[in-house]
Amino acid sequence: MRFTKATNYALHTMLKLFEASPVKPIGVQELAEMQGVSPTYLSKILTRLVKAGMIESVSGVNGGYRLSRKKDDITFLDIIHAIEGTASLFECNFVHGDECTIQAVMKEAEEKMESHLKNTKLMDMASKANIS
Amino acid sequence: MRFTKATNYALHTMLKLFEASPVKPIGVQELAEMQGVSPTYLSKILTRLVKAGMIESVSGVNGGYRLSRKKDDITFLDIIHAIEGTASLFECNFVHGDECTIQAVMKEAEEKMESHLKNTKLMDMASKANIS
DNA sequence: TCATTCAAAGACTTATTGTATCTATAATAT
DNA sequence: ATATTATAGATACAATAAGTCTTTGAATGA
Ligand code: SF4
Ligand code: SF4
């Protein structure tokens, strides 16, 4: 029960892209080198963010990745869901009706966490962060 | 990023033990059959709860497991930590100082979830639940 | 005392997921 | 056209989850 490294890479990349130019894309090799991960692997991760509509990719010379238009609305939860999926953290084999309190407690706990991640936007923190 | 099945088993067992007699232990085979899991595997899981001090084991004839004395203080978080460990959900390779906002956001989100799990005690819900 | 019943522990297997690489393909600027 | 860059798929490797098997040791009752 941990967040995957892919989520880590995605968060760092998003923060970097937020700080960068909104028009000129950054190549994946630069993004990968910055984080000590292989370009092809990071590319595969970023493709999920592309499909989620939060970044855009540009092929060819001087290509790379840049944020999409609606950059101000991107939340931590958006990024995490794009990478980890949206499945519930606690799954049980059977469903014993609505009165099941175990599920209720676990689900509510998860919602507490997600609520915080949803209320924190990339914009809120980009100014403070400095990734080397 | 999901809770393991072991956590599922532990929660259900704890709830069952809470409803049961505080003095007469329940054998692991009964607990296991109830959840459709092998007795030896469940035993391995429950041993972690024993070491965490929340249940007691009784060997020999008519042995099994029962809650420990301080049954009223056991929280969901206690059970989950005993099974999943207490490591942080989000780990990063490097530590770029206290001003890192990524870590701050992720850690606070985790604390929101843990806070809810810590405030929910087994006692609070035992009366409502009915596991078949 | 002795056999029976039970949990504890460790070695071991298997399945699933995470992490990553490699190669080929498609898109784009010059 | 050619160099550059992302995309996709196959593949490989590692780590963890999930579970089995067997042995050991503790408690009970006959
Ligand atoms: S008691 Fe609740 S958590 Fe457990 S199996 Fe039934 S529905 Fe799922
Ligand atoms: S920027 Fe923050 S989260 Fe990222 S590696 Fe540095 S300390 Fe860790």
Side-chain angles (χ1 to χ4, degrees):
Chain A
M1 164 79 167
R2 282 187 235 139
F3 288 104
T4 61
K5 287 190 176 185
T7 291
N8 187 319
Y9 299 145
L11 288 172
H12 283 81
T13 302
M14 286 299 288
L15 208 60
K16 178 73 174 180
L17 292 182
F18 191 96
E19 294 169 341
S21 160
V23 50
K24 185 186 165 214
I26 304 182
V28 71
Q29 54 215 19
E30 180 182 344
L31 294 167
E33 192 176 350
M34 183 177 58
Q35 304 182 54
V37 63
S38 90
T40 53
Y41 183 43
L42 184 60
S43 173
K44 175 169 289 189
I45 294 168
L46 297 188
T47 299
R48 308 193 68 169
L49 299 179
V50 172
K51 289 187 175 162
M54 52 185 72
I55 64 177
E56 296 172 339
S57 67
V58 180
S59 284
V61 179
N62 296 324
Y65 296 91
R66 65 176 166 233
L67 284 195
S68 69
R69 301 341 183 219
K70 47 170 191 150
K71 49 184 283 189
D72 292 347
D73 291 333
I74 298 174
T75 69
F76 267 62
L77 188 61
D78 292 330
I79 302 169
I80 292 171
H81 271 175
I83 303 299
E84 306 263 354
T86 59
S88 185
L89 297 187
F90 180 83
E91 298 285 355
C92 71
N93 333 38
F94 310 104
V95 174
H96 287 133
D98 296 341
E99 75 280 2
C100 167
T101 44
I102 292 182
Q103 264 187 332
V105 170
M106 297 301 284
K107 180 151 254 175
E108 193 173 343
E110 183 181 348
E111 281 169 0
K112 288 270 166 59
M113 180 170 71
E114 292 195 340
S115 170
H116 185 251
L117 294 173
K118 186 182 244 166
N119 289 331
T120 308
K121 296 181 180 174
L122 217 50
M123 196 181 75
D124 299 335
M125 49 171 300
S127 56
K128 306 176 214 164
N130 53 346
I131 317 171
S132 61
Chain B
M1 164 82 165
R2 289 189 229 136
F3 288 104
T4 62
K5 288 190 176 185
T7 292
N8 187 318
Y9 298 144
L11 287 173
H12 284 81
T13 302
M14 287 299 288
L15 208 59
K16 177 73 174 179
L17 292 182
F18 192 96
E19 295 168 341
S21 161
V23 51
K24 184 185 167 215
I26 303 182
V28 71
Q29 59 225 10
E30 181 182 344
L31 295 166
E33 193 176 350
M34 184 176 58
Q35 303 182 54
V37 63
S38 90
T40 53
Y41 183 43
L42 184 61
S43 173
K44 173 172 288 189
I45 294 168
L46 298 187
T47 300
R48 307 193 70 166
L49 300 179
V50 171
K51 290 187 174 162
M54 52 186 72
I55 64 177
E56 296 172 339
S57 67
V58 180
S59 284
V61 179
N62 296 325
Y65 296 91
R66 66 176 165 233
L67 286 196
S68 70
R69 300 344 184 217
K70 46 170 191 147
K71 48 184 284 189
D72 292 348
D73 291 333
I74 299 173
T75 70
F76 267 61
L77 188 60
D78 292 330
I79 301 169
I80 292 170
H81 270 174
I83 303 299
E84 306 265 353
T86 58
S88 184
L89 297 187
F90 181 83
E91 299 284 353
C92 73
N93 333 39
F94 310 103
V95 175
H96 289 133
D98 296 340
E99 75 278 1
C100 167
T101 45
I102 292 182
Q103 263 187 332
V105 170
M106 298 301 285
K107 180 152 254 175
E108 193 173 344
E110 184 181 349
E111 282 169 0
K112 287 270 166 60
M113 180 170 71
E114 291 195 341
S115 170
H116 183 252
L117 295 173
K118 186 183 243 165
N119 289 331
T120 308
K121 296 182 180 175
L122 216 50
M123 196 181 76
D124 299 335
M125 47 170 300
S127 55
K128 305 177 214 162
N130 53 346
I131 318 173
S132 60

